Amino acid sequence: MTLHPSPQTIGSATENWLELDKAHIWHPYTQMQTAADPQLIVRGKGASLFDHQDNEYIDAISSWWVSIHGHSHPHIAHKVYEQMLQLEHVIFAGYTHPAAIELAQRLMKHLPSEQSHMFFSDNGSTAVEVGIKMAIQYFYNRGERRTKILAFDQAYHGDTFGAMAAGGASVFNAPFAEMLFEVTHLPVPVAGEEERVMELLQKELAGGDVCCFIFEPLVLGAGGMIMYSEEVLDRMIAACKEAGAICIADEVMTGFGRTGRFFASDYLTHQPDILCLSKGLTGGSLPMSLTTCSLRIYEAFLSNDAAKTFFHGHSFTGNPVGCAAALASLDLLENPDCWDKIEAVVESHKVFADDIRQHPAVGQVRQRGTILAMELVSGETTGYLNEVRVFLKKFFREKNVILRPLGNVLYIMPPYVIQTAQLQQVYDAIREALDEMPNVS
């Protein structure tokens, strides 16, 4: 039997590992012809990751926004280990298990009050697919023809086809544009655009054919960390509900404390009908997602007619080990100490934001909770393909800080456990980058 090598034995064979990586692995969001070799990471602890030579890197983006409690958290690891010894998996159609039941019961206490049932799946994209399918079949089961879907034009909801259709047109989905189903995209209601967006929304709702409105509440993530107010979102949800349309909150990124509250929807008076959850759900330790819905959505699928069943599922739906990780993450989130750490990050971000706001390389600075984003003034090209990203990725890697800009938008989204000195190191690296940033087009 061949065992994976320990971190201690990797160092001497680094070049071989990277050669094997290049020979066999296709990395996400990476132009493989021009990309630098990936960094070989062998272990993690707290907000830090360590390479084969034990160099430390501060993970300032929680490894794609998932590791909210930091890396290799002992409580999560212990609970996962216990579950693996008890039950690693069981088919979730016709069978259930205690970890899934406990997770549903405990998490329901934190969800908006209208939420009633939850459907398990694998990741953020599939959570969104489930939500859209729930909304469409809700009206289908009721014998109503509603097919129009509304979303924001700079949104990102994932990379599967339904999620791509709901997302705004971008380099991410351009090759598939003609194959995506039609979605009506509204402008993001940023400051100064609220009334225009409300007028456009009301016009779409007037036709009576809107099935659902899907949105990233308060912060559009991969679209550039665009932020808008809870007041205008409240008005949009209220208008949709009055018109009978279903509201789907994609909380894949914003959930589990990211915005300073348990869910971004907690800022709202009018609540969504469906929530999509993933990323921080398991504390970043295992892939899992949930799509939760209100009782009226769930009841539309209850029938003596088997054709009204929600025919959707995944091989690992309700996986017990994933549920154990989610329960362990919930243990940590329910500890007041976690919220003290969140508040500390929020306050540190505010100070840093004020400090860099006047820098000539910085345009708009925006913050919501632990998410801090800044638009950089760099050349004529904006968006994901702005070439300043190449300079920034290389610069921060050399500073042992993991930051991955969205084109000319640089953001920080650290694990809640990040230490004050580590966060200061991140801020210092950003200041240096701003001073040295080239003017690229």
Side-chain angles (χ1 to χ4, degrees):
M1 180 175 65
T2 301
L3 298 176
H4 293 294
S6 67
Q8 291 76 18
T9 64
I10 287 177
S12 60
T14 301
E15 290 185 6
N16 289 338
W17 283 110
L18 292 178
E19 287 173 6
L20 290 169
D21 181 285
K22 186 175 293 187
H24 302 297
I25 295 179
W26 192 343
H27 289 272
Y29 294 97
T30 301
Q31 177 44 259
M32 300 301 292
Q33 179 162 301
T34 58
D37 286 344
Q39 190 65 49
L40 184 62
I41 298 297
V42 299
R43 67 184 181 93
K45 182 178 181 181
S48 297
L49 292 166
F50 298 85
D51 69 13
H52 60 287
Q53 296 177 326
D54 214 34
N55 295 312
E56 181 179 0
Y57 298 81
I58 300 173
D59 187 356
I61 56 170
S62 304
S63 284
W64 261 339
W65 325 339
V66 301
S67 299
I68 57 177
H69 306 297
H71 296 281
S72 303
H73 196 287
H75 179 66
I76 297 177
H78 179 68
K79 292 298 183 181
V80 165
Y81 171 72
E82 287 185 334
Q83 184 62 55
M84 283 292 291
L85 294 178
Q86 184 71 28
L87 174 68
E88 88 299 344
H89 191 55
V90 61
I91 182 175
F92 211 53
Y95 297 85
T96 190
H97 58 86
I101 298 168
E102 183 183 355
L103 178 59
Q105 183 266 333
R106 284 182 58 187
L107 190 56
M108 199 62 68
K109 297 176 182 178
H110 297 284
L111 290 167
S113 58
E114 291 186 7
Q115 299 302 291
S116 171
H117 286 72
M118 55 185 63
F119 193 96
F120 288 78
S121 56
D122 298 359
N123 58 64
S125 291
T126 56
V128 167
E129 298 281 342
V130 169
I132 292 173
K133 288 177 69 174
M134 280 182 179
I136 293 171
Q137 191 174 342
Y138 169 83
F139 290 108
Y140 178 88
N141 283 2
R142 289 160 54 94
E144 299 180 43
R145 179 165 176 76
R146 283 186 180 239
T147 57
K148 181 178 286 188
I149 296 172
L150 305 180
F152 287 134
D153 62 8
Q154 297 181 71
Y156 172 85
H157 294 289
D159 296 327
T160 50
F161 268 74
M164 282 195 296
S170 71
V171 68
F172 297 157
N173 54 32
F176 319 103
E178 294 183 359
M179 304 174 69
L180 304 177
F181 58 76
E182 184 176 354
V183 172
T184 300
H185 289 92
L186 303 170
V188 184
V190 295
E193 293 293 308
E194 296 94 339
E195 297 310 317
R196 182 171 77 93
V197 175
M198 285 302 303
E199 289 178 9
L200 292 171
L201 175 63
Q202 293 286 8
K203 183 178 179 180
E204 296 296 339
L205 293 172
D209 59 346
V210 173
C211 165
C212 61
F213 167 43
I214 181 169
F215 53 89
E216 296 163 88
L218 310 186
V219 185
L220 277 68
M225 298 298 164
I226 301 168
M227 302 182 188
Y228 62 104
S229 74
E230 58 264 37
E231 290 82 8
V232 69
L233 182 56
D234 247 333
R235 292 172 61 195
M236 296 182 78
I237 294 174
C240 287
K241 286 180 174 284
E242 185 176 350
I246 291 171
C247 294
I248 304 174
D250 178 353
E251 292 247 21
V252 169
M253 184 268 283
T254 56
F256 305 103
R258 272 294 167 209
T259 65
R261 298 192 183 178
F262 212 101
F263 296 109
S265 297
D266 292 339
Y267 287 93
L268 305 172
T269 300
H270 299 282
Q271 292 296 329
D273 303 287
I274 293 172
L275 273 79
C276 306
L277 310 173
S278 190
K279 290 198 182 289
L281 172 63
T282 66
S285 58
L286 288 167
M288 174 170 276
S289 65
L290 291 169
T291 305
T292 74
C293 68
S294 64
L295 185 60
R296 76 179 179 99
I297 303 292
Y298 175 73
E299 288 182 337
F301 293 80
L302 303 181
S303 175
N304 291 324
D305 181 358
K308 292 187 176 181
T309 300
F310 189 52
F311 290 107
H312 191 99
H314 301 271
S315 299
F316 291 95
T317 294
N319 175 257
V321 183
C323 290
L327 285 166
S329 179
L330 199 53
D331 290 340
L332 300 173
L333 276 167
E334 290 175 341
N335 188 325
D337 179 62
C338 180
W339 292 92
D340 290 341
K341 292 173 181 175
I342 289 173
E343 185 59 28
V345 172
V346 171
E347 293 304 313
S348 292
H349 279 354
K350 288 179 180 177
V351 173
F352 179 62
D354 288 340
D355 180 53
I356 63 164
R357 207 177 298 272
Q358 302 306 316
H359 194 286
V362 176
Q364 189 182 76
V365 178
R366 43 190 181 261
Q367 180 186 0
R368 174 69 76 163
T370 67
I371 307 166
L372 177 64
M374 58 210 80
E375 288 193 18
L376 305 182
V377 180
S378 178
E380 298 178 358
T381 303
T382 59
Y384 193 79
L385 294 183
N386 186 297
E387 285 299 317
V388 75
R389 78 191 192 284
V390 178
F391 162 77
L392 291 172
K393 288 177 186 176
K394 182 175 184 293
F395 182 92
F396 290 124
R397 181 161 158 175
E398 292 173 353
K399 295 293 181 181
N400 288 39
V401 171
I402 300 175
L403 287 169
R404 187 180 173 87
L406 299 162
N408 66 311
V409 176
L410 181 61
Y411 70 92
I412 314 171
M413 201 185 301
Y416 305 148
V417 297
I418 192 167
Q419 301 295 309
T420 301
Q422 291 177 310
L423 200 50
Q424 189 59 53
Q425 186 176 333
V426 174
Y427 296 153
D428 290 343
I430 291 174
R431 287 191 189 93
E432 289 185 50
L434 295 176
D435 290 339
E436 298 183 25
M437 194 174 73
N439 183 18
V440 297
S441 59

